[in-house]
Short mmCIF file of all heavy atoms in Angstrom, two decimals:
data_model
loop_
_atom_site.label_atom_id
_atom_site.label_comp_id
_atom_site.label_asym_id
_atom_site.label_seq_id
_atom_site.Cartn_x
_atom_site.Cartn_y
_atom_site.Cartn_z
N GLN J 125 108.37 46.91 111.68
CA GLN J 125 108.64 47.96 110.70
C GLN J 125 107.88 49.20 111.14
O GLN J 125 106.88 49.12 111.86
CB GLN J 125 108.23 47.52 109.30
CG GLN J 125 106.77 47.10 109.17
CD GLN J 125 106.49 46.37 107.84
OE1 GLN J 125 107.39 45.82 107.21
NE2 GLN J 125 105.25 46.40 107.40
N SER J 127 105.89 51.15 109.74
CA SER J 127 104.47 51.25 109.39
C SER J 127 103.58 50.35 110.24
O SER J 127 102.36 50.42 110.14
CB SER J 127 104.27 50.95 107.90
OG SER J 127 104.65 49.62 107.61
N ARG J 152 92.17 38.54 107.79
CA ARG J 152 92.75 39.79 107.30
C ARG J 152 92.14 40.25 105.98
O ARG J 152 91.80 41.42 105.83
CB ARG J 152 94.26 39.60 107.12
CG ARG J 152 94.97 40.85 106.71
CD ARG J 152 96.46 40.59 106.47
NE ARG J 152 97.11 41.76 105.92
CZ ARG J 152 98.28 41.74 105.31
NH1 ARG J 152 98.95 40.60 105.19
NH2 ARG J 152 98.81 42.84 104.81
N ARG J 153 92.03 39.34 105.05
CA ARG J 153 91.57 39.75 103.72
C ARG J 153 90.14 40.27 103.78
O ARG J 153 89.83 41.34 103.23
CB ARG J 153 91.65 38.55 102.76
CG ARG J 153 91.24 38.88 101.35
CD ARG J 153 91.51 37.66 100.45
NE ARG J 153 91.10 37.92 99.08
CZ ARG J 153 89.88 37.73 98.62
NH1 ARG J 153 88.92 37.30 99.41
NH2 ARG J 153 89.61 38.00 97.35
N LEU J 157 88.90 44.10 102.93
CA LEU J 157 87.93 44.40 101.87
C LEU J 157 86.82 45.31 102.35
O LEU J 157 86.18 46.01 101.56
CB LEU J 157 87.30 43.11 101.34
CG LEU J 157 88.26 42.17 100.66
CD1 LEU J 157 87.51 41.21 99.79
CD2 LEU J 157 89.25 42.95 99.84
N TYR J 164 91.72 52.43 101.23
CA TYR J 164 92.51 51.20 101.21
C TYR J 164 93.97 51.44 100.86
O TYR J 164 94.88 50.88 101.48
CB TYR J 164 91.90 50.20 100.22
CG TYR J 164 92.61 48.88 100.16
CD1 TYR J 164 92.25 47.82 100.97
CD2 TYR J 164 93.69 48.69 99.29
CE1 TYR J 164 92.92 46.61 100.92
CE2 TYR J 164 94.37 47.49 99.23
CZ TYR J 164 93.99 46.45 100.05
OH TYR J 164 94.66 45.26 100.00
N ALA J 165 94.21 52.29 99.86
CA ALA J 165 95.59 52.47 99.37
C ALA J 165 96.51 53.11 100.40
O ALA J 165 97.73 53.07 100.26
CB ALA J 165 95.59 53.29 98.09
N ILE J 167 96.75 52.16 103.51
CA ILE J 167 97.21 51.17 104.49
C ILE J 167 98.66 50.82 104.15
O ILE J 167 98.96 50.40 103.04
CB ILE J 167 96.34 49.89 104.45
CG1 ILE J 167 94.89 50.26 104.80
CG2 ILE J 167 96.89 48.83 105.38
CD1 ILE J 167 93.92 49.10 104.63
N GLN X 123 110.91 50.05 104.16
CA GLN X 123 110.84 49.04 105.22
C GLN X 123 111.28 47.71 104.63
O GLN X 123 111.20 47.48 103.44
CB GLN X 123 109.42 48.96 105.79
CG GLN X 123 108.34 48.68 104.75
CD GLN X 123 106.93 48.89 105.32
OE1 GLN X 123 106.73 49.62 106.29
NE2 GLN X 123 105.95 48.23 104.73
N SER X 125 110.07 44.83 104.56
CA SER X 125 109.08 44.04 103.83
C SER X 125 108.79 44.61 102.44
O SER X 125 108.09 43.98 101.66
CB SER X 125 107.79 43.92 104.64
OG SER X 125 107.20 45.19 104.82
N ARG X 150 95.54 49.31 93.65
CA ARG X 150 96.07 48.37 94.64
C ARG X 150 95.01 47.42 95.19
O ARG X 150 95.25 46.22 95.29
CB ARG X 150 96.68 49.17 95.80
CG ARG X 150 97.34 48.30 96.84
CD ARG X 150 97.86 49.15 97.99
NE ARG X 150 98.36 48.32 99.07
CZ ARG X 150 98.58 48.74 100.29
NH1 ARG X 150 98.37 50.02 100.60
NH2 ARG X 150 99.01 47.91 101.23
N ARG X 151 93.86 47.98 95.57
CA ARG X 151 92.85 47.15 96.21
C ARG X 151 92.35 46.06 95.27
O ARG X 151 92.27 44.89 95.64
CB ARG X 151 91.68 48.03 96.66
CG ARG X 151 90.60 47.29 97.41
CD ARG X 151 89.55 48.26 97.93
NE ARG X 151 88.49 47.57 98.64
CZ ARG X 151 87.41 47.07 98.06
NH1 ARG X 151 87.26 47.18 96.75
NH2 ARG X 151 86.49 46.45 98.79
N LEU X 155 92.79 42.01 95.74
CA LEU X 155 91.64 41.09 95.84
C LEU X 155 91.79 39.90 94.92
O LEU X 155 91.18 38.85 95.15
CB LEU X 155 90.34 41.82 95.49
CG LEU X 155 89.95 42.94 96.43
CD1 LEU X 155 88.49 43.24 96.28
CD2 LEU X 155 90.27 42.54 97.85
N TYR X 162 96.87 35.66 100.60
CA TYR X 162 96.72 37.08 100.93
C TYR X 162 97.39 37.44 102.26
O TYR X 162 98.07 38.47 102.37
CB TYR X 162 95.25 37.46 100.95
CG TYR X 162 95.01 38.92 101.23
CD1 TYR X 162 94.89 39.85 100.20
CD2 TYR X 162 94.90 39.39 102.55
CE1 TYR X 162 94.68 41.18 100.45
CE2 TYR X 162 94.69 40.73 102.81
CZ TYR X 162 94.58 41.63 101.77
OH TYR X 162 94.38 42.95 102.04
N ALA X 163 97.21 36.60 103.26
CA ALA X 163 97.69 36.96 104.59
C ALA X 163 99.20 37.04 104.68
O ALA X 163 99.75 37.58 105.64
CB ALA X 163 97.16 35.97 105.63
N ILE X 165 101.11 38.61 102.54
CA ILE X 165 101.61 39.89 102.01
C ILE X 165 102.01 40.76 103.20
O ILE X 165 101.21 41.02 104.08
CB ILE X 165 100.53 40.60 101.17
CG1 ILE X 165 100.15 39.72 99.96
CG2 ILE X 165 101.01 41.97 100.71
CD1 ILE X 165 98.98 40.26 99.16
#
Side-chain angles (χ1 to χ4, degrees):
Chain J
Q125 56 193 23
S127 63
R152 184 183 173 197
R153 182 174 178 273
L157 296 199
Y164 182 91
I167 299 173
Chain X
Q123 56 191 23
S125 63
R150 184 183 173 197
R151 183 175 180 273
L155 295 200
Y162 182 92
I165 299 173

